[in-house]
Amino acid sequence: MTDAVRVEELVVTYGPVAAVDRVSFQVREAEHLTLLGPSGCGKTTTLRAVAGLERPSGGRIAIGGASVFDGARRIDVPPEARGLSMVFQSYAIWPHMSVAENVAFPFRARGVANSVARPAVARALALVDLAAYADRSATMLSGGQQQRVALARAIAFGTRLVLFDEPLSNLDAQLRLQMREELADLRRRLGFAAIYVTHDQDEAFSLSDRIVLMRGGRIEQQGTPSDLHAAPRTRFAAAFLGVRNIIDADIAHGHATLANGLLLPVRDDGPPGPAAIAFRPGAVVLGRGTPATIERVLFAGDQLQLLLRAGPVDVIAYARPQSGLEEGTTIMWHVAAGDCRVLRE
Amino acid sequence: MKPRAETLLTGALLLLLGWLVMVPAASVLVSGADVTALRRLLSGTAILTNTLLMGAATSLSAVAIGAALALVMARTDLPGRGMLEPLTLLPLYVTPLLTAIAWSWLGSPRGGLVNLVTQRLAGFSLIDLHGAAGVVFVASLAYAPVPFLLIAAGLRAMDPSLEDSARVHGASLRFAFAHVTLPLMLPSALGALVLVFVQTMGLFSIPAVLGVPGGFTVIATEIYRLLNTYPPRLGQAAAWGLVLLAITLLAVLLQNRLLAKRSFVTITGKAFRPRLIAMGRARWLLAGFVWLYIGLAVALPVATLIWASLVNFLTIDPALMAFDLRHFAYVLFTYPKALMAARNSLLLGVVTASLIVALSLGAGWVVVRRRNLGATAVEYLAMAPLAIPSIVLALGVLWTYAGLDLLPIYGTVAILLVAYLAHFMPFGVRALSGALRQLHPELEDAARVSGAGLLHTLRRVVWPLTRPTLAAVWTLVFVLTLQEVSASILLYTSRSVVLSVAMFDLWEAGTLNGLAALGVMQLAITFAALSLLARFRQRGVAA
């Protein structure tokens, strides 16, 4: 089976700066791949290079088996001939067209007959619950509705590949959760392949089949959401994916020695030496183990967030809101060996 | 790699703009660079100092008037501001040629109407507008709207918190104005100063009407004289053109140097609401100043013109005056050039405006969206005519095409078109790049990934969304084309007379009332076009 998208050794430079530096990945048919990373990591540039909106300086891009960019073979297919669609961060709804005209644009631009376009447009608008808005001016819609128009425009033509550039980042928190579910549902029903750019790890975890984590123009790590969640390979990956405790330690014989002399058991068969251990606040078990002082208690809604201090080592842990813990008191804590990762990079 | 449509567009614009701008400039350079001729030209004549004097005095006083108008209009509680602002811009739409002619009727030392009145009442002549003072007076009135627009825009884009923080930290209103507002106004004032200086250095119409009769000759009128002697002395004219070009380029370079040293980040693109200063009783005085400006720059000259087009001859004796339409009839039916000139002018106006709109849409898009080496070159080429006085441009065009069999446009209206396109290009490209910067680039990206090519995207997305700007550019270029004198006067032939040239022709022939009638008709066309634009804008807002 051919891949929906195959990106090999992609390089995009702005002057002397490489915004994307030898990035390779594949997207299989009907797969949702997320490019995740902080701003400036090259994820949007990569996406725009796939769309043909950014011109790479090297590498290869193939869509559905057909080469659309190849630096060595001097192939560069313009965006309009790549046969994909895209949802933009700003929605990019044309204000001089009605909702239906916006959605019908991909048909008109490609010279498709009205008799074919009209039912497809109606179907797409129905899928995003905007059937009643077809003749409205696009500028009269709310942000969420404009987002739906952008979505309808991207799925109406039925391209096998849809690109998403931080599509939910301009919506408020509640709408964002709702659209996330609708998006996942829509993709399952229509079965297109998606490349999705976001800086929000929750969004990436909940929507993706596979995640490519980027940093400084390069791929830091890629894998399924559960792989990445359970086993970040580097300090950066761990920190970006919400592992709040990353502590320098000496690793030897299944134990990590922290700066305060504390020994923690770890499951690790790598070479001994200096490294770091990483564990999520939720993995910290309170009530037994070694002592630490509660430096600060922050009320965070569903839970209390504690800053524990044991000598030079700070640890963040969670506790139930009713637990009655107070700043300045001492508490016992430990982490199970299975919850503690050793990071050597 | 097959070149993308963007690359082809950039390349095509580079060729076209290079041809329109660089070829004439280069031919002035080549034909005028004769050191001995230049030395002979510059010795023993007041022409150069006259020109510099006119440029410096006009630009300084125009900027002073414009800055005062801008401050009054943008920052004080002037009564009737909403109505006064468009009136202040009216001088832009009345060709300086007509303003100068009307003022010469009013203020020539012997026959001037004002002087006739004071002669009769008090026995002396009041004013003498023939000579340097008259030229500078009328030119400052005519060009003041340019600095007014630039400085008012600068004032409105200035963050009021800059002034507020001066006040909070102990500065009086006066101190804050002198130490914060005024220094921040400097860049736009300096920009306006250079712009007006470059325009007036090559100004032909006002010195031709008011200067020459008073013995005040400048480079532009000298170039015209050299080309209209027999045999025409093209080489000497080109040498003068080169002198003019050197001065204006120097002025632009100096401006860039001065502005590059200090960076003023006051203009954020945000629209602020400037704080209005309550002027108390003084606001009526300020209103009087604005009304005086409007009266001197537009109302009085236009009223004189209309009166002259209707009265049997120019007299101050009410008993001798008779009013009818015979001058209009003469111009329309007897004077042979009027109809041809009107047809040529309208044709040139429509074609120039349409081509400028199309070219500036393309060039503006390349400049704003491409941002590569080619785009920078397009920007420089499109903006270069700002530093080239139009009479120099016309000289270059004349020199290029006079003997060019390859493109035999000499003697046709096409040669005027070539000069107009280069001359109005900066205006169109600047307006369109401004409009395109307001347009989110993803609107175009969305069209491209939807399967639309570059041209389709420009036509279906960019064009409709920038239509208000395009319409404004079209109308203003159309109006300015009708007014253009400095380039037209060098390039016309008997078959390609345009309205402004016909008016100058009538002026030289002394057919004053006929000239007034033609002038009134030209004003009517201008204001018809402007009111169409206003209606289009209203409809655009309603839709």
Side-chain angles (χ1 to χ4, degrees):
Chain A
M1 195 169 88
T2 57
D3 290 316
V5 181
R6 172 179 283 271
V7 173
E8 290 170 291
E9 297 288 307
L10 184 72
V11 179
V12 183
T13 49
Y14 295 130
V17 187
V20 175
D21 192 4
R22 281 169 291 144
V23 161
S24 305
F25 60 87
Q26 293 98 43
V27 187
R28 287 185 283 273
E29 283 295 331
E31 187 185 34
H32 182 120
L33 179 112
T34 295
L35 299 176
L36 176 67
S39 59
C41 73
K43 56 189 192 301
T44 293
T45 308
T46 305
L47 189 77
R48 289 174 61 83
V50 171
L53 295 169
E54 210 75 56
R55 185 178 191 156
S57 43
R60 289 168 298 283
I61 304 171
I63 295 176
S67 180
V68 293
F69 179 84
D70 190 327
R73 284 163 57 207
R74 301 178 72 77
I75 295 172
D76 183 17
V77 176
E80 62 268 21
R82 293 193 178 191
L84 45 82
S85 34
M86 184 162 173
V87 177
F88 291 86
Q89 188 174 11
S90 68
Y91 317 142
I93 300 303
W94 299 301
H96 59 299
M97 300 182 195
S98 72
V99 168
E101 283 170 339
N102 263 283
V103 179
F105 188 91
F107 296 89
R108 292 187 63 182
R110 295 179 172 110
V112 175
N114 247 333
S115 54
V116 179
R118 209 171 295 133
V121 169
R123 209 158 41 238
L125 284 175
L127 274 173
V128 298
D129 283 332
L130 280 180
Y133 293 81
D135 296 323
R136 290 273 183 98
S137 159
T139 48
M140 309 289 278
L141 303 179
S142 68
Q145 288 169 325
Q146 289 197 20
Q147 175 68 78
R148 285 163 194 273
V149 177
L151 200 53
R153 182 174 63 193
I155 60 171
F157 196 80
T159 55
R160 301 306 301 151
L161 172 66
V162 182
L163 310 180
F164 295 87
D165 183 12
E166 309 222 13
L168 306 183
S169 61
N170 285 336
L171 300 176
D172 61 51
Q174 206 180 348
L175 204 54
R176 190 153 43 197
L177 285 181
Q178 186 194 336
M179 283 303 292
R180 201 194 279 179
E181 280 164 33
E182 290 186 28
L183 210 61
D185 186 45
L186 209 57
R187 198 181 57 78
R188 256 181 302 249
R189 277 164 71 183
L190 300 176
F192 53 81
I195 305 181
Y196 189 102
V197 162
T198 185
H199 61 264
D200 181 333
Q201 46 146 334
D202 289 337
E203 220 166 277
F205 282 140
S206 63
L207 280 170
S208 319
D209 296 317
R210 224 142 41 76
I211 296 175
V212 171
L213 178 66
M214 292 185 70
R215 175 199 188 187
R218 300 186 183 193
I219 293 180
E220 186 83 359
Q221 188 173 357
Q222 51 178 317
T224 65
S226 57
D227 283 350
L228 255 69
H229 188 270
R233 241 187 40 227
T234 64
R235 283 169 183 252
F236 170 82
F240 194 79
L241 297 173
V243 182
R244 307 265 319 260
N245 296 305
I246 300 174
I247 300 165
D248 289 324
D250 264 317
I251 310 295
H253 317 302
H255 277 88
T257 313
L258 274 51
N260 59 358
L262 180 66
L263 279 178
L264 282 176
V266 291
R267 272 186 209 147
D268 179 62
D269 39 18
I277 56 165
F279 49 93
R280 292 175 182 275
V284 177
V285 180
L286 299 174
R288 59 196 169 82
T290 59
T293 313
I294 302 179
E295 276 293 311
R296 207 170 297 124
V297 179
L298 289 178
F299 178 66
D302 289 343
Q303 67 215 359
L304 292 182
Q305 188 182 305
L306 309 177
L307 176 64
L308 309 180
R309 182 161 293 165
V313 174
D314 283 353
V315 172
I316 293 168
Y318 293 149
R320 286 197 329 268
Q322 304 87 347
S323 51
L325 295 169
E326 282 178 26
E327 291 181 358
T329 59
T330 300
I331 194 168
M332 311 300 269
W333 68 282
H334 85 110
V335 182
D339 290 332
C340 201
R341 287 222 14 110
V342 175
L343 304 175
R344 289 198 163 80
E345 292 173 44
Chain B
M1 210 169 302
K2 212 173 75 183
R4 284 243 188 126
E6 292 87 333
T7 314
L8 292 177
L9 179 64
T10 311
L13 283 167
L14 279 176
L15 280 177
L16 191 62
L17 290 174
W19 173 58
L20 284 173
V21 178
M22 292 320 286
V23 169
S27 66
V28 168
L29 214 63
V30 171
S31 56
D34 179 346
V35 182
T36 51
L38 279 172
R39 193 170 294 157
R40 205 172 50 233
L41 226 53
L42 296 176
S43 62
T45 163
I47 291 176
L48 181 62
T49 42
N50 282 352
T51 311
L52 287 168
L53 174 77
M54 174 178 74
T58 303
S59 47
L60 282 172
S61 54
V63 167
I65 299 171
L69 288 170
L71 277 171
V72 167
M73 216 77 83
R75 294 300 310 273
T76 71
D77 58 342
L78 186 76
R81 283 188 309 141
M83 177 187 56
L84 285 177
E85 182 150 356
L87 290 180
T88 310
L89 296 178
L90 279 180
L92 286 179
Y93 308 121
V94 182
T95 163
L97 175 66
L98 285 179
T99 316
I101 286 172
W103 270 109
S104 88
W105 291 340
L106 289 165
S108 73
R110 246 169 295 156
L113 299 166
V114 174
N115 292 331
L116 291 180
V117 172
T118 54
Q119 280 285 359
R120 176 168 297 188
L121 296 179
F124 66 93
S125 289
L126 186 67
I127 50 175
D128 178 3
L129 290 184
H130 278 176
V135 170
V136 171
F137 170 70
V138 173
S140 316
L141 290 176
Y143 282 98
V146 175
F148 165 69
L149 274 176
L150 292 175
I151 295 170
L155 282 174
R156 283 178 182 138
M158 202 182 283
D159 188 343
S161 63
L162 295 172
E163 238 178 68
D164 291 350
S165 83
R167 298 297 300 280
V168 167
H169 292 102
S172 66
L173 182 64
R174 193 175 302 240
F175 189 91
F177 180 78
H179 289 87
V180 177
T181 315
L182 221 49
L184 288 176
M185 273 172 65
L186 265 178
S188 52
L190 187 62
L193 190 73
V194 172
L195 192 63
V196 176
F197 180 78
V198 171
Q199 286 195 10
T200 48
M201 284 304 284
L203 183 64
F204 171 77
S205 56
I206 299 175
V209 170
L210 291 170
V212 175
F216 181 75
T217 310
V218 294
I219 296 180
T221 55
E222 179 66 5
I223 289 175
Y224 175 72
R225 190 187 67 80
L226 288 168
L227 291 179
N228 282 281
T229 50
Y230 190 82
R233 283 182 272 176
L234 195 52
Q236 243 177 312
W240 274 121
L242 188 60
V243 172
L244 212 48
L245 189 61
I247 297 170
T248 52
L249 284 178
L250 218 61
V252 171
L253 286 179
L254 194 68
Q255 176 203 19
N256 289 348
R257 273 291 283 280
L258 287 175
L259 289 188
K261 269 195 201 149
R262 314 165 79 178
S263 145
F264 294 93
V265 196
T266 52
I267 307 204
T268 54
K270 262 187 272 179
F272 294 106
R273 182 179 295 249
R275 298 224 199 302
L276 298 184
I277 301 162
M279 295 304 294
R281 289 258 177 86
R283 67 206 183 108
W284 297 106
L285 202 69
L286 296 179
F289 158 71
V290 177
W291 278 112
L292 179 68
Y293 170 73
I294 295 167
L296 292 178
V298 191
L300 190 57
V302 169
T304 309
L305 206 66
I306 294 173
W307 170 79
S309 71
L310 296 169
V311 77
N312 47 357
F313 61 96
L314 303 186
T315 171
I316 56 159
D317 192 343
L320 296 175
M321 287 186 207
F323 296 94
D324 53 36
L325 293 174
R326 87 172 89 138
H327 305 305
F328 286 93
Y330 166 76
V331 164
L332 282 175
F333 304 117
T334 314
Y335 178 61
K337 288 178 187 165
L339 279 181
M340 180 179 60
R343 206 178 49 227
N344 284 341
S345 272
L346 288 177
L347 178 72
L348 274 170
V350 168
V351 174
T352 307
S354 308
L355 286 177
I356 287 282
V357 159
L359 285 173
S360 6
L361 184 66
W365 186 84
V366 165
V367 167
V368 174
R369 295 285 190 251
R370 296 297 291 163
R371 284 179 297 181
N372 52 21
L373 206 65
T376 312
V378 167
E379 185 171 17
Y380 271 97
L381 281 177
M383 289 302 160
L386 279 183
I388 309 175
S390 57
I391 197 160
V392 175
L393 196 67
L395 260 179
V397 168
L398 188 65
W399 190 274
T400 308
Y401 296 101
L404 193 68
D405 296 330
L406 199 68
L407 204 67
I409 58 172
Y410 179 72
T412 69
V413 288
I415 197 169
L416 290 156
L417 178 68
V418 167
Y420 290 172
L421 284 180
H423 183 55
F424 294 122
M425 188 63 68
F427 169 68
V429 172
R430 183 163 287 181
L432 259 296
S433 1
L436 283 165
R437 287 202 178 89
Q438 308 286 315
L439 208 63
H440 202 300
E442 288 188 348
L443 291 169
E444 294 158 37
D445 294 341
R448 296 303 297 274
V449 296
S450 296
L454 175 63
L455 289 182
H456 192 99
T457 305
L458 284 175
R459 193 163 57 85
R460 295 293 307 280
V461 175
V462 180
W463 171 276
L465 290 176
T466 50
R467 199 153 47 195
T469 309
L470 292 169
V473 167
W474 196 97
T475 314
L476 290 177
V477 169
F478 175 80
V479 165
L480 293 175
T481 306
L482 288 195
Q483 298 185 0
E484 215 291 328
V485 181
S486 304
S488 319
I489 202 77
L490 295 195
L491 295 173
Y492 83 96
T493 55
S494 57
R495 280 188 300 144
S496 53
V497 174
V498 292
L499 273 180
S500 52
V501 169
M503 285 194 277
F504 191 72
D505 185 57
L506 286 168
W507 160 259
E508 289 203 308
T511 317
L512 302 186
N513 300 92
L515 160 61
L518 197 57
V520 168
M521 285 192 272
Q522 193 226 39
L523 284 177
I525 298 174
T526 300
F527 285 95
L530 289 174
S531 66
L532 274 179
L533 174 70
R535 189 171 299 178
F536 174 85
R537 280 219 172 129
Q538 259 166 9
R539 215 183 47 201
V541 170

